[in-house]
Amino acid sequence: MSEATTNAPAKKLHNPLHVTIAVGIVTAVCIGLLMNGTEHKYVFGLLLAATLGMLALEKVNKAILVLLGSGVALLLAIWQGLLDKPDDHGAHALPVYIEMIDWGTIGIIIGSTIFVELISRSGLFTWISVKILKVSCGDPFRLLICFSGLTVVFSAFLNNVTAMIIVGSLTIVACKKLKLSAMPFLLAEGIYTNIGGLLTLISSIPNIIVGTAAGIGYADFLLVAGPYCLVAFMATLYLVRWLFKLQPLKDEEEKANAKAMVEAFDEWETVKNRTFFYLSAGVLAAIILGFALHSSIPILNQMGLEIIAIIGATVMLVIYPTDVEGVLNEVEWTLILFFVGLFTLLGVMEHAEVLTMIGNWLKTPLSSGGTTGPLTMMWSSAFFSGLTDNIPLAAVLSKVLGGFQENMDKLPWFGEYGHLLWWSLIFGAGLGGNFTPIGSASTVVVISILKRAGHTITFMQYVKIGIVVVLVQLSLATGYLFAADKIGLIPKLDTGKVQVENGAENKGHGK
């Protein structure tokens, strides 16, 4: 257990009686509505809203809350026969609630936590942090630029969760050395993972889902998204500087003192074994290349990215003689349980057609014109991405747009501006995750890292920051989308490339 964790203030415990009563009331209301013949989608939509509302209140641990919500949802769904699998009676068939869980993301979190913990023991992260500190000359704003740029690069080629765990580990070490609060830097990095996740077609699962359905190629995706990511990077940099009051050093004496402080650091001080140091650097480089080139590596390209993280963790356990049980205790099991509950809850919502209902609500406004339609898609998808996982949302809305595109001969309006709807969904689903601390996996990881370092940020404290960030980034994306279309940067629809399939949904990177 780290010193930061030991010195962290004690958390207020929840009241078991209050939680039991609340769950009982919500469950009783849902049962009553179902017995009265209320449609499933409305009842389960109410359950989802109640769970998200209780998350916002911060009265109950988020892992307990989503496990309770998913448990009630599962029991009600099984009672109503929503999870039956009539076409699959094989002896080895998995229960549908097991299949709901994105085990790839779970594997990535477990594997990444283990190899990051062991690599950190080699002193590599401290070494990199000191190098970055020296480049920044101890200036907080320069340090923000360095870590933000590193986050975007890692997020573009790695899973966002892995990128956040690695950069977050570097940030904690660097801020301890400079005696700075890690909170603004980590929150900024969580925001920047979603910008980096927009850069390429394979940077996130929503990109893969939407890009595949729309027939957008890798080069086209980079050509359209790249300029926006650069603009968003610069704008967010100054926005974060304003939000967190991170001002560059102006006094020459302060600059000289800060530079002298960082120059006095010895990057080799914490490296006890240089052989292990170089081995760890090699493993980390191999892991990064493995994530980036996953689709080109024979055999591994037939498996998910989680296998790269697990292999990296296994190799580090082999080359570093250690107490395995002690290392496994460092895994964020609260985070694991939270994601298990969240995936299950959202899986039930999909079976109960709650997500489909959301998509159907959007059908009419999407056809309202070449300006209103894309605006509706971008801003509504961003809003719902901030409240729920953007992966099932992207899948549902891709099916909606795919249906329009298949019938484009009967829907001339889609042929006119359908390409803008696809890109509106990409930007909305990618950027909306910054709205709340549960809007993306990377922001959940940020909150977890902050908690371990002794910092506390509530749901609403984050929302006050996230809403400003999302408004600025979406406003920029809106202007950029129409400007890029005006100059012909966004290619028109090519019906020959349309593939309305979701077979790739579980491939590639997480949110």
Side-chain angles (χ1 to χ4, degrees), residues 123-136 143 146-147 150 166-178 262 265 267 270:
L124 178 62
F125 290 151
T126 303
W127 187 91
I128 297 175
S129 296
V130 173
K131 287 293 186 182
I132 292 176
L133 283 174
K134 290 185 175 181
V135 170
S136 71
L143 189 64
C146 292
F147 278 131
L150 189 64
I166 294 174
V167 180
S169 301
L170 299 177
T171 304
I172 292 294
V173 174
C175 289
K176 280 183 179 179
K177 286 188 172 292
L178 282 180
V262 298
F265 292 142
E267 55 265 38
T270 58

Side-chain angles (χ1 to χ4, degrees), residues 130 133-134 137-139 174-180 249 253-266 269:
V130 173
L133 283 174
K134 290 185 175 181
C137 297
D139 187 290
C175 289
K176 280 183 179 179
K177 286 188 172 292
L178 282 180
K179 295 181 173 60
L180 294 172
L249 299 177
E253 183 177 352
E254 286 183 339
K255 290 181 180 179
N257 290 338
K259 185 174 182 180
M261 180 189 297
V262 298
E263 289 296 334
F265 292 142
D266 179 10
E269 179 182 4

Side-chain angles (χ1 to χ4, degrees), residues 18-32 46:
H18 292 170
V19 174
T20 303
I21 292 174
V23 173
I25 291 173
V26 172
T27 304
V29 169
C30 290
I31 291 174
L46 175 64

Side-chain angles (χ1 to χ4, degrees), residues 367-379:
S367 61
S368 57
T371 300
T372 308
L375 285 175
T376 300
M377 171 58 82
M378 183 183 297
W379 288 80

Side-chain angles (χ1 to χ4, degrees), residues 380-464:
S380 60
S381 61
F383 175 76
F384 286 114
S385 290
L387 297 179
T388 66
D389 193 314
N390 65 358
I391 295 173
L393 183 69
V396 169
L397 294 181
S398 289
K399 291 175 182 177
V400 173
L401 294 184
F404 290 160
Q405 188 156 314
E406 285 183 326
N407 296 285
M408 198 159 52
D409 55 333
K410 302 176 183 177
L411 303 171
W413 59 267
F414 193 81
E416 179 185 349
Y417 59 85
H419 59 295
L420 293 179
L421 293 176
W422 284 114
W423 279 101
S424 296
L425 175 56
I426 290 169
F427 283 124
L431 297 173
N434 288 326
F435 178 40
T436 69
I438 63 167
S440 72
S442 54
T443 52
V444 174
V445 171
V446 167
I447 301 302
S448 179
I449 293 174
L450 282 170
K451 181 179 177 181
R452 293 186 64 188
H455 302 282
T456 300
I457 181 168
T458 65
F459 189 99
M460 294 311 298
Q461 283 176 331
Y462 183 93
V463 169
K464 290 178 181 178

Side-chain angles (χ1 to χ4, degrees), residues 24-89:
I25 291 173
V26 172
T27 304
V29 169
C30 290
I31 291 174
L33 290 172
L34 289 170
M35 294 182 69
N36 285 333
T38 307
E39 287 189 57
H40 296 136
K41 58 186 178 183
Y42 298 122
V43 177
F44 284 89
L46 175 64
L47 178 58
L48 178 62
T51 304
L52 294 176
M54 292 178 69
L55 269 176
L57 293 176
E58 292 279 327
K59 297 296 184 181
V60 185
N61 179 279
K62 63 180 182 292
I64 294 176
L65 189 54
V66 295
L67 287 172
L68 284 170
S70 62
V72 172
L74 272 175
L75 291 174
L76 293 177
I78 293 173
W79 171 45
Q80 292 294 303
L82 299 180
L83 305 183
D84 292 341
K85 298 173 65 177
D87 297 327
D88 191 354
H89 298 288

